[in-house]
Amino acid sequence: MKYWKSFCAAAALSVAAVAPVRAAYPDQPIKVVVPYTAGGSSDVIARAISDELSTALGQSVIVENRAGAGSMIGTAYVANEKPDGYTLLLADVPFTIVPALYGDRIKYNARTGFAPIALLGLSPMYLFVNPSFPAKTVQELVDAARAKPGTISIGSGGNGSLTHLMAELLMLNTNIKLVHIPYKGASASVNDLAGGQIDASFTTMPTATALFQGGKIRPIAVSAPQRQKETPNVPTFDEAGVPNMGVQSWWGLVAPAGTPAAVQEKLSAAMAKVMQSPKVQSRLSSVGVNLPPDTSAAALNNLLTADFARWQDVVKRANITFE
């Protein structure tokens, strides 16, 4: 018996000696994938948080751009990476719109293939009109559209973009028909709006700032839950009498599904510190992004759940189809 105990003890020590010891997370650089080219708002946000996240975790955080197919290439890449917390995705609005437009034709499942880590920023959408457009309010625009269906044009940044779906949502919520004019980017849309080629367009204030400040376009409503400090005279859609238009651009950090809970929690806790950094807040503000009141994983999860349902409904009811 004494021999057997000694043998077991020796065997246990031997196994311990050869078994790999799992280092505490993180023990290697972390990669944040941006599914767009460098220079855009998502890229700016990723780089704004990377240094602070590196400090919080004591490990390098690298930003990698993997652009293409309207964010789908970079998103698919992260979805297929090992769920160990070392590859993260800087997700934004197309993350919830693409599944509604393309269904099972995409190479990942946005609903179940990712774990939320933190909500990073929000930016409301404005409905702008040309200054010469007779309607001064949303209700006047709705009344004009009902009086002459199909005569008022609304531009967007392209088919399937947030600005397009916002236009569709407005039409569905007010039972009006506008003529949708898709452009190759929101900037092109608001430029034509300023030139009088179209009557209205949705976009964010950062995209429209120069034209707005120059008096070339006029905002008549904002999609935020409250008025914005930079445009105190612009009512929310709720105030304008059009409910269910509370949609904002958003940015969030997600990890592949299956990432260990302890790793998710560590990342979320680190991001809570990162989002309190004055440097990060200043950088986000510089590109028109507001700090959410709640940046937690739960807040991002709630937003994703609502957006997946909203865009699925809008795409179905508006009968938007892409080949």
Side-chain angles (χ1 to χ4, degrees):
M1 179 62 73
K2 184 177 180 181
Y3 170 78
W4 176 249
K5 288 182 178 179
S6 298
F7 173 78
C8 290
L13 286 172
S14 177
V15 171
V18 298
V21 177
R22 187 174 182 85
Y25 173 86
D27 67 340
Q28 64 188 61
I30 296 166
K31 182 163 55 181
V32 175
V33 174
V34 176
Y36 307 103
T37 55
S41 54
S42 292
D43 184 65
V44 169
I45 292 170
R47 296 181 191 280
I49 67 169
S50 60
D51 286 346
E52 297 291 333
L53 183 57
S54 176
T55 299
L57 293 174
Q59 187 58 253
S60 297
V61 177
I62 302 165
V63 176
E64 181 177 296
N65 299 89
R66 284 183 173 265
S71 81
M72 288 186 276
I73 288 177
T75 304
Y77 169 78
V78 176
N80 291 317
E81 283 292 279
K82 187 177 179 180
D84 54 11
Y86 290 103
T87 306
L88 309 174
L89 174 72
L90 199 295
D92 67 337
V93 176
F95 186 82
T96 52
I97 290 178
V98 165
L101 294 173
Y102 297 101
D104 58 8
R105 286 175 287 174
I106 56 178
K107 297 179 180 180
Y108 57 88
N109 189 320
R111 291 175 183 265
T112 63
F114 297 87
I117 299 300
L119 178 59
L120 308 180
L122 299 169
S123 186
M125 303 294 292
Y126 284 83
L127 176 58
F128 288 94
V129 296
N130 183 277
S132 65
F133 189 67
K136 306 299 181 185
T137 67
V138 175
Q139 190 56 57
E140 288 179 2
L141 183 151
V142 170
D143 291 342
R146 285 175 177 164
K148 295 182 178 181
T151 61
I152 297 174
S153 57
I154 186 164
S156 79
N159 288 318
S161 66
L162 176 58
T163 49
H164 172 205
L165 296 192
M166 285 293 289
E168 296 289 352
L169 185 61
L170 175 64
M171 288 188 271
L172 290 169
N173 287 341
T174 56
N175 194 30
I176 60 173
K177 182 62 179 176
L178 305 174
V179 179
H180 172 228
I181 310 294
Y183 287 82
K184 292 183 178 180
S187 294
S189 176
V190 293
N191 284 337
D192 263 15
L193 176 62
Q197 281 80 20
I198 55 176
D199 301 311
S201 184
F202 277 99
T203 195
T204 58
M205 186 55 75
T207 301
T209 296
L211 293 172
F212 165 60
Q213 292 179 343
K216 302 295 185 181
I217 56 177
R218 175 165 47 86
I220 59 175
V222 63
S223 69
Q226 64 281 317
R227 296 192 184 202
Q228 301 296 287
K229 61 182 180 180
E230 65 269 26
T231 53
N233 296 323
V234 179
T236 66
F237 275 95
D238 281 343
E239 291 175 324
V242 184
N244 302 317
M245 292 292 294
V247 179
Q248 300 193 69
S249 289
W250 59 266
W251 293 263
L253 195 64
V254 299
T259 298
V263 172
Q264 292 184 43
E265 290 166 7
K266 189 164 187 176
L267 282 167
S268 294
M271 284 306 304
K273 295 178 181 178
V274 168
M275 299 311 295
Q276 294 305 311
S277 163
K279 181 180 177 181
V280 169
Q281 293 180 14
S282 175
R283 193 71 185 94
L284 266 58
S285 178
S286 72
V287 290
V289 177
N290 300 325
L291 182 72
D294 183 356
T295 63
S296 68
L300 177 57
N301 186 62
N302 290 339
L303 183 151
L304 293 175
T305 299
D307 261 21
F308 280 129
R310 175 189 291 115
W311 300 132
Q312 190 71 42
D313 177 65
V314 169
V315 168
K316 182 178 180 180
R317 289 200 290 152
N319 194 30
I320 301 170
T321 57
F322 282 170
E323 295 300 327

